[in-house]
Amino acid sequence: MPDLDRDRTDHLVALVRRHLDEDGDVLGVYAHGSATLGGLRPYSDLDLLVVLGRPTTYGQRARLTEELLGVSGGAGRPVELIAVVRDEVRPWRYPPRREYLYGEWLRDAYERGAVPEPEDDPDLAPLLTMVLRADAPLYGPPPATLLDPVPHGDLRRAITAGVPELLAELEPDTRNVLLTLARVWSTLVTGDIRSKDAAADWALGRLPASYRPPLAHARAVYLGQETENWSGRAVRSCADLLVREIRAAYGDEGEGPGE
């Protein structure tokens, strides 16, 4: 079973249904992410996917966002909640379309009144893959009842598409960027989607010793074993090498990320 606080997840499912389930529109709610990939870590979000039977209204998205602002973070674990409309992702097509996104990194915008809008989102490819592999319904049928599998080529394409944006966030979000780059490399080579710490373990065993310290520190911080401190660490060199490895791994089936 996923590493989840069922009281918390039951509350979130009830919240989602209260705002989006006017006529049975919530078809399923599924756990994914760290909880289903080895367990929640100190910095892990609580990741949920909602599958809907029809698109949301602006008012529904606004009210759901307002309530999530009150329950995500603070004394509790941050929530990342994504919704898709079943007919927008099944039959599968690329890029897939996201109906709704709540994440703490967008809190400032939401507090200023921004409301998430539907948009195409390649990152749904690995997310839906994790949901299907985890098979962890919190409400509704098994996810394979509602979702199509993501073709391997589209998974590879999607996880490399965001690499340039990741690099742009290296300074303000060093830990997450290094761990995510390690996971992209691991997935390209092995086809598995590992937890961030497991992907870092995999990558550390393959990096030259002089490039390992920044990634090892990112892993230790993620696990709550060290306090985050990037002073004197060759972060850019480590990130650049990870990107070169990603490009080499992806190059077997197409152009490298960002090219």
Side-chain angles (χ1 to χ4, degrees):
M1 290 294 293
D3 176 16
L4 291 169
D5 179 343
R6 287 309 299 255
D7 288 341
R8 183 90 191 282
T9 55
D10 288 348
H11 175 73
L12 289 168
V13 169
L15 183 156
V16 167
R17 295 190 65 199
R18 183 163 64 251
H19 290 290
L20 304 182
D21 203 19
E22 293 180 358
D23 296 299
D25 297 322
V26 175
L27 305 180
V29 182
Y30 303 97
H32 64 93
S34 299
T36 62
L37 290 171
L40 293 166
R41 306 306 189 193
Y43 289 97
S44 297
D45 293 341
L46 185 57
D47 298 305
L48 302 180
L49 174 75
V50 179
V51 181
L52 302 169
R54 65 177 178 179
T56 58
T57 66
Y58 179 91
Q60 285 176 317
R61 297 193 303 277
R63 290 187 292 272
L64 178 59
T65 301
E66 182 178 2
E67 189 157 357
L68 285 170
L69 282 169
V71 301
S72 175
R77 191 174 290 277
V79 175
E80 181 177 323
L81 191 147
I82 292 175
V84 297
V85 176
R86 178 185 54 188
D87 291 347
E88 294 285 353
V89 295
R90 185 177 194 178
W92 170 259
R93 78 290 307 266
Y94 188 93
R97 190 160 182 80
R98 184 186 71 221
E99 180 68 14
Y100 177 86
L101 165 66
Y102 180 91
E104 278 299 301
W105 67 95
L106 297 169
R107 173 175 282 272
D108 288 347
Y110 296 154
E111 289 180 336
R112 293 193 301 269
V115 175
E117 296 287 346
E119 61 180 82
D120 291 346
D121 183 3
D123 284 343
L124 283 175
L127 187 153
L128 297 182
T129 300
M130 284 192 287
V131 167
L132 286 164
R133 292 181 182 180
D135 193 15
L138 302 173
Y139 171 80
T145 306
L146 303 175
L147 303 171
D148 281 346
V150 176
H152 183 61
D154 284 346
L155 175 62
R156 290 170 59 90
R157 180 182 177 187
I159 62 175
T160 56
V163 167
E165 291 182 10
L166 267 177
L167 281 178
E169 296 296 316
L170 181 61
E171 185 173 342
D173 195 16
T174 303
R175 168 178 46 83
N176 184 58
V177 170
L178 290 178
L179 294 173
T180 302
L181 289 173
R183 182 152 71 177
V184 171
W185 181 24
S186 166
T187 299
L188 286 173
V189 173
T190 70
D192 292 331
I193 301 179
R194 292 171 164 82
S195 65
K196 288 180 178 178
D197 53 301
D201 279 337
W202 181 93
L204 286 167
R206 290 158 177 81
L207 290 176
S210 60
Y211 289 88
R212 294 174 194 162
L215 182 58
H217 180 59
R219 179 186 180 278
V221 172
Y222 179 73
L223 293 173
Q225 298 169 348
E226 295 180 10
T227 301
E228 196 156 10
N229 180 3
W230 299 105
S231 177
R233 302 182 192 274
V235 170
R236 173 58 65 173
S237 295
C238 179
D240 286 345
L241 180 56
L242 288 169
V243 171
R244 290 196 296 273
E245 294 290 355
I246 288 168
R247 286 176 172 159
Y250 188 66
D252 293 338
E253 298 186 20
E255 294 180 348
E259 297 181 352

